[in-house]
Amino acid sequence: MCPVNREGEIPRHPNLVTRDSTTEAIRDPSQVLVVGKSPINRVVISKIVERSGLKPISESPDTAARILRSLIPGAVVLDGGADNKDCDSLMSSIAALRRASGQSQPPVILLSTKNGTTESLGLPGIIDVVVAKPITPERLQPVIDRLIGR
């Protein structure tokens, strides 16, 4: 429970962000949302995120939308699967977060079986970086560090 100030009002959390009149989310740049259908891939990606000194939140595409309603992470890592379509259901939620932030936040990384840029692969404009599989710390960690600004 939050402490109450002298006027009886509850002080606002400094990282609390109001999206509209009914929804509030906490902005936490130290957390990275890792989304993918494969639990094994999510574990591997989470370990790489931890090596960057960040806290991973590992979710399936089905449950990640719920997390995005209450938390604005420092970055989002999407495992696109075999056809880069595994996380398509989250694109509208991520786009809404980016519109609400007024900038390209949170940054989005797509892990793909194909090499190329977002344009050459025909991916949505909200994808900032495409990292080709197989995923290794040497490939993914520098991208995370650069996007988070460490």
Side-chain angles (χ1 to χ4, degrees):
M1 177 128 193
C2 292
V4 178
N5 65 16
R6 294 175 198 231
E7 290 82 33
E9 296 176 2
I10 298 173
R12 296 185 62 81
H13 189 282
N15 288 331
L16 202 60
V17 178
T18 302
R19 290 196 200 152
D20 57 34
S21 61
T22 61
T23 310
E24 291 183 338
I26 295 177
R27 181 184 311 270
D28 189 348
S30 69
Q31 294 191 348
V32 176
L33 181 60
V34 176
V35 183
K37 286 187 177 179
S38 167
I40 295 169
N41 285 354
R42 289 195 316 254
V43 168
V44 170
I45 297 162
S46 293
K47 292 295 183 188
I48 295 170
V49 167
E50 286 174 347
R51 286 180 62 171
S52 291
L54 300 166
K55 295 176 264 180
I57 301 171
S58 177
E59 296 290 333
S60 71
D62 300 331
T63 60
R66 180 179 47 83
I67 297 296
L68 288 173
R69 285 192 289 272
S70 61
L71 173 74
I72 301 171
V76 179
V77 180
L78 304 174
D79 182 357
D83 59 357
N84 293 336
K85 304 280 186 206
D86 283 4
C87 297
D88 280 358
S89 62
L90 291 177
M91 295 304 173
S92 62
S93 298
I94 295 169
L97 277 180
R98 290 172 70 120
R99 277 193 306 275
S101 76
Q103 49 191 337
S104 296
Q105 295 295 327
V108 180
I109 301 167
L110 177 71
L111 308 176
S112 174
T113 55
K114 302 171 187 167
N115 280 325
T117 64
T118 55
E119 297 83 20
S120 69
L121 295 175
L123 298 170
I126 64 167
I127 305 294
D128 293 305
V129 179
V130 177
V131 177
K133 293 180 182 180
I135 299 306
T136 63
E138 293 77 22
R139 285 187 183 184
L140 184 57
Q141 190 171 350
V143 173
I144 292 171
D145 291 343
R146 181 174 42 100
L147 287 177
I148 298 291
R150 294 182 181 253

